[in-house]
Amino acid sequence: MVMNKNLLYRSIPKVDVLLEEAEIQELIESYSYDTVLDSIRVELDQLRAYIGTCTDEENAQKRIGELRRRIRRRVEKLHTPNMENVINATGTILHTNLGRAPIGEAHMRHIAAIATGYSNLEYSLQAGKRGERYSHFEDLLCRLTGAEAAMAVNNNAAAVMLVLNTMGKGGEVVVSRGELVEIGGKFRVPDVMEQSGATLVEVGTTNKTHYTDYEAAITEETKALLKVHTSNYRIVGFTESVSVAEMAELAHAKGLPMIEDIGSGVLVDLSKYGLTYEPTVQDSLKNGADVVCFSGDKLLGGPQAGIIVGKKQYIDRMKKNQLTRALRIDKFTAAALEVVLQEYLSEEKALKNIPVLRMMTESLEDVTKRARSLMRMLKNTGADADIHLEACESQIGGGSLPLERIPSMAVTIRPRQITTAELEERMRFLPVPIIGRTINDKILLDVRTVDAGWCKVLAKEWKESRICEKETELIED
Ligand SMILES: *Cc1c(COP(=O)(O)O)cnc(C)c1O
């Protein structure tokens, strides 16, 4: 049968007719006239285009019938936050694409309270006049790391930029070739140095840099020695690098400061918990570094920030640098840093109350218990799939401890009616999307990064969506 396209086009309601309809009026009432009108126009255009290419009359009719529902969905989507929670079942604890370090709920309540009202962010209640936004966490940082002074900026990339701009601008900063790293998201140490106005002087080779290499590179123009912790990769085998202590000793003998970009900024010796030793901020300062900078949302488990600690004379200069105004943290970050750092006053509390540390140190036994419970919940949803437990390995991620693997437990799923790829996609379209890993045609849900609360949400979503069944209403274009 030949389709009568003209007839179909003519059956599409006109904009002004749609605008008079009760259902559309209701939308305008709840949202706004402009967004509704805009959505009507877009949907009408799409509908005409669809009919233009459609070869099946029944489908075209069906599509016309969906018009009002599609308009509603478009308007609603525009007014619903696109950024939403996802369930991270990848087992990667610091997943940069999924927001790196989650903040604990108790901490978040404090941050929310600060953010929804006015606060003493930059006001000294003692003096009754202007105060400093770093004052809320500077003493804490000094106490925890042994530094004389501290501050924080937007992120560690900004911190490196500020440190080099303040201490190296117009002169030379010496750094090992083995440490000219690129951190995810195009943060390249050589480029940042150039931007900062400091001239990079590279010494040594990729795998070996000696004390004498640094010594020979120091000239009248040298402003500082820089060490960059190669957080996201390891050079193994025939290697040699110069320790912080040796670099600091050399720098000080020449009257220069020594800077370390330590990357992850751990405050707890992780080797006590069976993980690889990652240099702590305290150790770096103890070994003689004059300024150390690190991320707030990597192993520290706090908000995105670049924390700078060290000698007061340098930190004071950074606080006065004009760049600081452009890189400064907001009240959310200041509030979050204070409460997260307070947990570190007791290591036990830090491990319990900071989600990143809790996930990293949770015993395999406890993870397995939770995995078993999740497996049962998923089986009880009646899903047509093979669901089992399987040992797996979690990663730290976020460019930290690249070789570390933490033994963990996963729930594995192989659907019977649909393909694994389809299931993977459907999970991404759930009201709370679930992100897992696909290995050997199975989906692995690593439970180390899914706490008990999220396990319940996950199981509930499975039940409600009948996600493994061939016919499901779940996916819409
Ligand atoms: C991650 C990292 C950075 C960048 O830190 P952000 O907080 O992500 O800006 C800089 N240097 C090192 C060594 C890092 O590991």
Side-chain angles (χ1 to χ4, degrees), residues 65-130:
E66 284 173 1
L67 177 64
R68 288 155 188 89
R69 192 169 66 96
R70 282 174 177 268
I71 292 169
R72 166 174 289 277
R73 217 176 59 206
R74 183 171 291 276
V75 176
E76 283 170 350
K77 191 156 184 274
L78 198 63
H79 291 265
T80 310
N82 186 53
M83 196 158 158
E84 57 183 332
N85 276 126
V86 305
I87 296 174
N88 173 15
T90 64
T92 299
I93 295 168
L94 295 171
H95 201 302
T96 299
N97 300 144
L98 303 183
R100 277 202 195 155
I103 300 285
E105 269 176 50
H107 298 151
M108 208 55 228
R109 278 195 293 277
H110 170 71
I111 299 161
I114 293 290
T116 49
Y118 295 103
S119 64
N120 60 339
L121 176 65
E122 273 191 3
Y123 183 76
S124 163
L125 292 167
Q126 283 76 26
K129 58 178 193 196
R130 198 194 150 96

Side-chain angles (χ1 to χ4, degrees), residues 59-240:
N59 281 343
Q61 294 284 11
K62 196 167 149 222
R63 181 71 201 251
I64 295 172
E66 284 173 1
L67 177 64
R68 288 155 188 89
R69 192 169 66 96
R70 282 174 177 268
I71 292 169
R72 166 174 289 277
R73 217 176 59 206
R74 183 171 291 276
V75 176
E76 283 170 350
K77 191 156 184 274
L78 198 63
H79 291 265
T80 310
N82 186 53
M83 196 158 158
E84 57 183 332
N85 276 126
V86 305
I87 296 174
N88 173 15
T90 64
T92 299
I93 295 168
L94 295 171
H95 201 302
T96 299
N97 300 144
L98 303 183
R100 277 202 195 155
I103 300 285
E105 269 176 50
H107 298 151
M108 208 55 228
R109 278 195 293 277
H110 170 71
I111 299 161
I114 293 290
T116 49
Y118 295 103
S119 64
N120 60 339
L121 176 65
E122 273 191 3
Y123 183 76
S124 163
L125 292 167
Q126 283 76 26
K129 58 178 193 196
R130 198 194 150 96
E132 212 182 60
R133 66 178 61 209
Y134 314 116
S135 65
H136 310 288
F137 53 81
E138 182 169 9
D139 286 349
L140 264 172
L141 274 169
C142 292
R143 176 193 284 264
L144 294 169
T145 66
E148 288 176 6
M151 66 181 295
V153 287
N154 180 58
N155 58 13
N156 192 31
V160 175
M161 171 85 82
L162 178 64
V163 169
L164 292 175
N165 181 265
T166 308
M167 300 172 70
K169 192 178 175 191
E172 296 173 352
V173 173
V174 184
V175 62
S176 160
R177 283 204 174 83
E179 297 172 0
L180 295 176
V181 296
E182 171 172 323
I183 319 281
K186 301 243 158 38
F187 172 89
R188 286 186 162 178
V189 172
D191 299 344
V192 174
M193 290 191 72
E194 197 186 314
Q195 291 279 333
S196 74
T199 304
L200 172 80
V201 176
E202 303 172 20
V203 296
T205 59
T206 306
N207 58 332
K208 283 203 169 196
T209 302
H210 306 282
Y211 183 89
T212 48
D213 293 327
Y214 286 102
E215 204 172 22
I218 295 174
T219 68
E220 291 282 288
E221 304 301 318
T222 308
K223 297 257 190 167
L225 301 190
L226 169 69
K227 187 170 188 65
V228 180
H229 179 51
T230 54
S231 0
N232 62 351
Y233 77 109
R234 290 283 181 272
I235 299 176
V236 290
F238 190 59
T239 67
E240 187 168 327

